[in-house]
Amino acid sequence: MEIDVIYDRYGKPVFRLLSNGRVVKFNGVNAGFLVRDNLYTYRGRHVGWYAEGLVRDHHGHVVGFGENVVDNVHPLLPFKQFKPFAGFLQFEPFRPFLPFEPFRPFKSYAWSNILLENLFN
């Protein structure tokens, strides 16, 4: 079940966040997963945080945003584009053992140099 859609800096919907913490593309391909508010790849690499409707990188910059942003510290958000139809989901791979989560940086009003599409690569 989808609990949020994550949009990039141009308002394009890129990922779906599912109720079990999976982050998938609209074509059903697995991208990563969420544990508490930490985002990980399926290789166990920490890539950022998802909290209060925003995806932030390791510098505190905004990479993407969800349907309902409640955090006040963010750049100007664009209009959201229409969501495509969701494809069939792939089976979820096994989740790896996770390293300690890194310290969270201060929040920034800036957009990240990392594109949302490349966050989990």
Side-chain angles (χ1 to χ4, degrees):
M1 179 175 166
E2 181 179 289
I3 60 172
D4 204 357
V5 173
I6 302 174
Y7 298 85
D8 68 7
R9 68 185 307 159
Y10 304 109
K12 176 185 166 195
V14 177
F15 295 118
R16 298 170 56 213
L17 179 59
L18 305 181
S19 58
N20 63 354
R22 287 172 65 185
V23 179
V24 296
K25 297 179 183 180
F26 276 89
N27 62 3
V29 174
N30 295 297
F33 60 96
L34 182 71
V35 176
R36 290 180 301 281
D37 57 356
N38 296 283
L39 290 167
Y40 293 95
T41 66
Y42 282 101
R43 294 184 184 139
R45 186 172 58 92
H46 187 274
V47 294
W49 293 268
Y50 174 76
E52 299 177 330
L54 294 173
V55 176
R56 293 189 183 271
D57 65 11
H58 289 135
H59 300 287
H61 302 310
V62 175
V63 181
F65 64 98
E67 292 283 350
N68 298 309
V69 177
V70 294
D71 193 340
N72 293 326
V73 180
H74 61 74
L76 182 63
L77 300 176
F79 290 108
K80 298 173 194 161
Q81 298 176 17
F82 290 108
K83 294 183 278 189
F85 290 107
F88 292 105
L89 294 174
Q90 290 181 342
F91 288 108
E92 183 178 19
F94 290 108
R95 294 185 181 187
F97 291 106
L98 300 176
F100 291 108
E101 61 187 73
F103 288 106
R104 189 179 302 227
F106 291 110
K107 296 176 181 178
S108 167
Y109 286 96
W111 285 104
S112 174
N113 291 330
I114 301 170
L115 297 176
L116 182 60
E117 293 86 1
N118 299 332
L119 184 66
F120 292 98
N121 292 338

